[in-house]
Amino acid sequence: MTRPIVGIISNSYLINDQYPTHAGGTMNSEAIAEVSGCMPLLIPTDPRYVSVPELLEQCDGFLLTGGRPNVHPEEYGEAETEAHGDFDRERDAITLPLVRACVERGQPFFGICRGFQEVNVAMGGTLYPEIRDLPGRMNHRMPPDGTLEEKFEIRHKVCLSEGGMFHRLFGAREVMTNTLHGQGIKRAGARIVIDGKAEDGTPEAIYVKDAPGFTASVQWHPEWNAAADPVSRPLFEAFGTAARSYRAARLGAAKRKSA
């Protein structure tokens, strides 16, 4: 059977400070193909080239990736400051309505880092521009130097809600994860369930309450070493299962309609 198609949200980059591209990390495609068992499809995330209805029709699920640019604070009713960093308004214009449409339709998505933050904002939540500046919080940012292995190194504990979705998925109340983010949830959006937190109280694992589809999102980067990591693998496997179920239901409905 043809693999489900997972649309991977890309980010805008300039190569050599002059050549514009839409790019996605190889590790995202690898995790989707080899762990989720789906076909990765990189999306040029810009409303000039694609529309949300087209994406919903063509894909069986979406991976909302991490990225250096942040969600623009205007999207959650706050003024832009220097602390908010760089932005990608074209990505905002696609991903925020895409999340809301997926929640409504039961179409699966998996949010990672910026994607985690997008899910919260799409559902009406807000973000802190810099977690490390808050009293009692640790520095969640990626180490500025070192190898990729050192940057993606497991660095802190995430404590999960007793009996919650992530507890059931991992079979444990505590897991160890990497951390490579500056921003984080300030106010949870409507229907956002914070199901896991770092030791300093920073939200790390969420889902959308009563959504008919897969909506798990995490603040860390499970795409790193996804096949071997005991926390990453069940996330991508569960997402793949959800994408296959959605595809089967969609194909079944189309077949019944044409009969």
Side-chain angles (χ1 to χ4, degrees):
M1 186 177 74
T2 304
R3 290 180 296 170
I5 297 172
V6 169
I8 297 180
I9 298 300
S10 69
N11 289 291
S12 298
Y13 287 104
L14 284 176
I15 296 177
N16 296 330
D17 296 323
Q18 61 180 167
Y19 185 77
T21 67
H22 284 106
T26 302
M27 64 183 77
N28 292 313
S29 298
E30 183 178 305
I32 290 299
E34 297 184 2
V35 186
S36 297
C38 301
M39 188 183 87
L41 183 67
L42 193 65
I43 294 171
T45 317
D46 188 320
R48 293 175 295 178
Y49 312 130
V50 298
S51 69
V52 169
E54 288 174 317
L55 294 175
L56 293 169
E57 192 63 31
Q58 296 299 321
C59 298
D60 300 299
F62 298 94
L63 183 68
L64 307 171
T65 61
R68 187 173 297 278
N70 295 307
V71 179
H72 199 285
E74 285 182 0
E75 300 291 353
Y76 47 92
E78 296 187 9
E80 175 186 339
T81 69
E82 187 175 340
H84 286 98
D86 298 325
F87 306 112
D88 186 344
R89 299 308 301 270
E90 288 74 27
R91 172 168 167 160
D92 293 344
I94 291 293
T95 53
L96 300 181
L98 180 65
V99 166
R100 291 187 284 265
C102 284
V103 169
E104 181 69 23
R105 291 161 59 99
Q107 198 155 347
F109 62 77
F110 181 15
I112 292 174
C113 199
R114 176 190 160 120
F116 168 97
Q117 295 162 12
E118 286 171 329
V119 173
N120 185 57
V121 172
M123 300 304 291
T126 63
L127 304 172
Y128 286 115
E130 190 63 72
I131 290 292
R132 64 183 175 183
D133 291 342
L134 300 175
R137 301 289 185 94
M138 59 187 178
N139 183 5
H140 288 254
R141 282 194 173 274
M142 175 180 71
D145 302 310
T147 64
L148 276 180
E149 287 77 10
E150 290 167 334
K151 291 178 178 181
F152 282 89
E153 184 181 4
I154 300 301
R155 291 173 55 201
H156 71 59
K157 183 189 303 181
V158 173
C159 303
L160 307 169
S161 302
E162 176 71 41
M165 188 198 76
F166 286 89
H167 178 196
R168 297 194 302 273
L169 183 63
F170 298 137
R173 280 289 315 282
E174 295 180 351
V175 295
M176 295 296 295
T177 72
N178 55 35
T179 183
L180 297 91
H181 65 101
Q183 299 197 324
I185 290 179
K186 180 179 182 181
R187 185 188 73 243
R191 299 172 60 190
I192 292 292
V193 177
I194 298 175
D195 205 34
K197 295 181 179 181
E199 295 165 280
D200 64 356
T202 299
E204 294 278 343
I206 62 173
Y207 64 89
V208 180
K209 184 179 180 181
D210 297 328
F214 185 96
T215 62
S217 301
V218 298
Q219 185 61 86
W220 67 90
H221 282 264
E223 72 274 24
W224 173 257
N225 197 28
D229 185 83
V231 175
S232 299
R233 188 171 189 92
L235 282 168
F236 279 99
E237 287 177 337
F239 177 55
T241 297
R244 279 186 290 277
S245 295
Y246 185 84
R247 179 177 179 82
R250 181 162 65 170
L251 293 177
K255 186 175 181 180
R256 290 191 296 273
K257 187 176 180 179
S258 63

